[in-house]
Amino acid sequence: MKRLIIHPRAAKDAKEVVAKYADLSNELFEQFWDEIDDAVDYIELYPGHHHYDPCGLRRSNLKKFPYHILFEERIEYNRIIVIRH
């Protein structure tokens, strides 16, 4: 399995979204984090199973929330670039 790097921008994006959901409810907060964790695990295991976004990066859509993760697949590693709405 390749090393997974999370760009500081993606970490900031996640924190901003989590703060928004935490203000609404603890349940939404936990559900969002669980879904992010599942998506990151799937990116780690199966990076090639994700389609390309028009920007040229691979895209992993969250199932329950209107967000997706954009990441680049490299020979040595995969890097999560951004989490966006």
Side-chain angles (χ1 to χ4, degrees):
M1 182 176 353
K2 293 184 208 178
R3 184 169 53 117
L4 182 69
I5 299 169
I6 299 175
H7 191 280
R9 176 64 199 177
K12 182 179 179 215
D13 294 339
K15 288 176 186 175
E16 288 173 0
V17 176
V18 163
K20 205 181 305 184
Y21 284 121
D23 286 343
L24 296 173
S25 90
N26 193 45
E27 185 178 343
L28 283 174
F29 162 80
E30 290 177 12
Q31 288 176 358
F32 182 77
W33 264 127
D34 288 345
E35 193 159 345
I36 286 288
D37 284 341
D38 291 346
V40 169
D41 289 346
Y42 197 76
I43 288 168
E44 276 188 298
L45 293 172
Y46 308 105
H49 287 194
H50 297 84
H51 67 278
Y52 283 100
D53 189 76
C55 71
L57 298 171
R58 288 201 181 262
R59 178 178 169 152
S60 176
N61 296 323
L62 299 185
K63 295 175 185 173
K64 297 177 188 173
F65 293 89
Y67 289 88
H68 57 267
I69 299 170
L70 294 177
F71 68 98
E72 64 179 341
E73 186 178 18
R74 298 281 184 127
I75 293 171
E76 315 83 35
Y77 60 87
N78 295 316
R79 181 169 57 174
I80 293 176
I81 303 295
V82 67
I83 298 171
R84 69 180 183 188
H85 194 268

